[in-house]
Amino acid sequence: MVPATASFSITSPSPSDMASPEELHPAPTTSLLPNPSTTTTTTTTTKKSLTPLLLLLATFLSFASAVLYFSSKPHPSPPTVVSRPLSTLPRPTVILISADGFRFGYQHKAPLPSIRRLIANGTSADLGLVPVFPTLTFPNHYSIVTGLYPSSHGVVNNHFLDPASGSRFSMSSHDPRWWLGEPLWETVANHNLTAATYFWPGSEVPKGSWHCPPKFCQHYNGSVPFEDRVDTVLAYFDHHDTVPSFVTLYFEDPDHQGHLFGPDDREITDAVVRIDDMVGRLIRGLEERRVFDDVTLILLGDHGMVGTCEKKQIILEDLSPWIDIRDDWVDSSSALLSIWPPAGVSPSEVVDKMNLGLSSGKVENGKSLRVFLKEDLPERLHYSASERIPPVIGLPDEGYQVLLRRPKWSSCGGGHGYDNAFFSMRTIFVAHGPPFRKGWQVPSFENVEIYNVIAAILGLKGAPNNGSAAFPGSILLPTYY
Ligand SMILES: [Zn+2]
């Protein structure tokens, strides 16, 4: 499957969007100096009519505009090779911020001065962060903090059946038996350091040395205003000697608006501006506490978003001439179809009959759904090695929805959960702080790499995971790996 890059245009930010205090005081590298010939021309043509003071002013403005122009462009190669030492805090600290459903490209919908500031002065993924499959909220958030694919960390969907016990996982399940692997807050606590979670899937679950301490572990409540979340995190930085080593901060937007209105609506722009406001609030608060230069901020999302409409539906009821798929067989539908055939019905038979019907030309949009035995799924999806993954998996094309029966009313909105090869499922990755080069872009990568990056920044020995041991060396400055 080829990423649909052509369907999404990426525009370059204008220089005026990029101005920030850090950019106005760039490091004195030669690439930031004005072109000498341009400066000479300016001074020659104005020499006769300008006083020396005006001449000086004109030269300064020429220099300043050149600095702004050149500093607005990301450096194509590493501009610095030495990390900055901490100036205020006793040890490294990472704030991991998730904006749910922040599709890659949303960062160009509005000026977004704070996010642009982080991009211009930090390291970002040039074409976005690649989520794990399925591109859903819980599997991806937990992959980010464990470095494991869902088949390894056990959270294989937002809702699913555990065939061993017969019980179901939901987004409010906090029993540790569901949540496998070692999340970062546990790794941090196991090293006798402090972690603080302001919402993150799995963060309320006791694991190892992590017991979700009341002072540093917020229980999920979606009605808490975003400002309160930021301000609580900022309060952790009031006393420099007790700053947590690792902090999570979660926002439900712009996923919420994406589902309701699709990725191209004005509501998305407003939601993204609001996320930028929260990033700005966090930066200002860290600056006021004189720790912004020492703190590593990582801003990312869990997945992207694609428009869905009634014309792109595959109705399972339409397959009844070939096979009657009962509602209670279906574990999940919409962007990810997963089916538990009952005892006595072989999964292979379900796959064969479904694909026969779908390819017959008699089922509306049938050719936009492919059904697999899970062991026959493409290896790159890493979606078979768990007994929690149902034996029959259907992959709809981008933007198509699988529904049990034809809905009574039509609607258009947005969805996710699709194959992670679709470009629309990508999200952002922006990192800013002492371990990261300024104004640098790295090729896109999968979010299972992030666990090792954060463990390296904090100087911790992480748990085994699906990330590459070499990846931190490709993105961090030398002293951090
Ligand atoms: Zn969502």
Side-chain angles (χ1 to χ4, degrees):
M1 204 156 296
V2 179
T5 48
S7 68
F8 202 78
S9 67
I10 299 164
T11 55
S12 298
S14 66
S16 62
D17 294 333
M18 309 294 286
S20 75
E22 288 171 56
E23 291 174 278
L24 293 171
H25 302 94
T29 61
T30 51
S31 66
L32 296 177
L33 292 173
N35 183 328
S37 62
T38 308
T39 310
T40 305
T41 306
T42 306
T43 54
T44 304
T45 53
T46 55
K47 196 179 282 181
K48 290 174 187 168
S49 57
L50 292 178
T51 63
L53 187 62
L54 285 174
L55 186 65
L56 192 66
L57 182 63
T59 306
F60 171 76
L61 288 174
S62 170
F63 175 81
S65 62
V67 165
L68 276 174
Y69 176 76
F70 282 108
S71 64
S72 71
K73 297 198 175 303
H75 296 279
S77 59
T80 55
V81 290
V82 179
S83 63
R84 286 175 281 127
L86 301 183
S87 59
T88 307
L89 294 177
R91 64 182 73 85
T93 184
V94 175
I95 303 179
L96 180 64
I97 310 162
S98 168
D100 200 315
F102 197 119
R103 170 172 162 166
F104 179 76
Y106 281 1
Q107 71 273 24
H108 301 306
K109 282 182 175 283
L112 308 181
S114 297
I115 293 175
R116 290 279 170 87
R117 179 178 172 184
L118 296 182
I119 293 171
N121 297 291
T123 295
S124 52
D126 60 355
L127 291 175
L129 180 64
V130 181
V132 295
F133 178 82
T135 52
L136 295 166
T137 295
F138 269 52
N140 272 279
H141 274 98
Y142 205 53
S143 285
I144 291 166
V145 295
T146 58
L148 296 170
Y149 291 113
S151 55
S152 297
H153 66 52
V155 182
V156 300
N157 202 323
N158 286 340
H159 309 264
F160 59 89
L161 171 76
D162 176 25
S165 64
S167 52
R168 288 195 69 83
F169 173 88
S170 75
M171 291 189 278
S172 55
S173 297
H174 295 149
D175 188 326
R177 74 188 168 88
W178 294 111
W179 305 82
L180 312 178
E182 183 180 302
L184 277 162
W185 44 81
E186 181 187 355
T187 305
V188 169
N190 287 348
H191 286 80
N192 293 316
L193 295 172
T194 305
T197 54
Y198 208 119
F199 303 162
W200 202 278
S203 61
E204 295 155 75
V205 179
K207 282 181 75 68
S209 304
W210 173 256
H211 303 289
C212 188
K215 187 180 171 191
F216 288 119
C217 173
Q218 304 293 327
H219 290 252
Y220 184 69
N221 175 359
S223 68
V224 177
F226 290 176
E227 288 83 354
D228 292 3
R229 306 179 193 191
V230 173
D231 293 349
T232 300
V233 164
L234 285 171
Y236 299 148
F237 292 83
D238 284 344
H239 305 288
H240 294 170
D241 50 344
T242 57
V243 166
S245 295
F246 176 65
V247 180
T248 70
L249 176 57
Y250 170 79
F251 302 113
E252 290 84 351
D253 295 350
D255 183 71
H256 177 68
Q257 295 80 2
H259 283 292
L260 290 175
F261 306 105
D264 300 317
D265 195 274
R266 172 78 210 180
E267 293 274 348
I268 297 294
T269 308
D270 294 345
V272 166
V273 166
R274 183 150 163 66
I275 293 297
D276 189 69
D277 288 345
M278 293 305 106
V279 173
R281 189 183 184 95
L282 183 67
I283 291 173
R284 277 193 308 281
L286 293 172
E287 286 177 329
E288 285 163 13
R289 290 162 177 81
R290 300 177 184 280
V291 294
F292 178 59
D293 288 341
D294 280 7
V295 172
T296 296
L297 291 181
I298 298 177
L299 172 66
L300 48 68
D302 50 350
H303 54 69
M305 185 68 66
V306 67
T308 55
C309 258
E310 70 276 5
K311 286 180 185 153
K312 291 185 167 183
Q313 290 173 346
I314 300 119
I315 310 298
L316 294 180
E317 212 174 48
D318 291 351
L319 288 170
S320 58
W322 293 270
I323 182 169
D324 182 22
I325 299 177
R326 294 180 34 187
D327 290 6
D328 60 350
W329 298 10
V330 178
D331 204 51
S332 74
S333 55
S334 196
L336 166 64
L337 176 66
S338 53
I339 294 176
W340 282 105
V345 178
S346 93
S348 305
E349 183 187 336
V350 173
V351 169
D352 291 345
K353 287 184 175 175
M354 286 185 75
N355 282 331
L356 202 61
L358 291 166
S359 61
S360 67
K362 295 175 182 170
V363 173
E364 189 178 2
N365 298 320
K367 289 176 182 166
S368 288
L369 173 66
R370 290 165 303 142
V371 182
F372 299 84
L373 287 171
K374 67 177 178 181
E375 56 268 29
D376 294 334
L377 283 169
E379 182 65 28
R380 61 183 173 76
L381 297 178
H382 305 279
Y383 203 61
S384 62
S386 167
E387 64 174 13
R388 297 175 181 179
I389 299 171
V392 177
I393 300 293
L395 303 180
D397 286 346
E398 188 176 31
Y400 283 78
Q401 292 177 290
V402 185
L403 303 176
L404 301 178
R405 58 188 59 80
R406 203 157 267 102
K408 290 191 173 63
W409 55 86
S410 62
S411 65
C412 286
H416 55 90
Y418 298 95
D419 189 330
N420 63 347
F422 291 132
F423 195 70
S424 58
M425 294 298 103
R426 288 195 190 182
T427 182
I428 52 164
F429 175 89
V430 185
H432 180 284
F436 291 97
R437 291 176 177 87
K438 293 191 174 198
W440 195 38
Q441 292 192 324
V442 295
S444 295
F445 58 91
E446 278 194 321
N447 65 17
V448 292
E449 304 289 2
I450 291 171
Y451 176 93
N452 286 339
V453 171
I454 294 178
I457 294 170
L458 300 179
L460 307 180
K461 179 171 168 43
N465 62 80
N466 297 126
S468 150
F471 184 79
S474 72
I475 194 169
L476 295 176
L477 287 165
T479 50
Y480 282 89
Y481 64 89

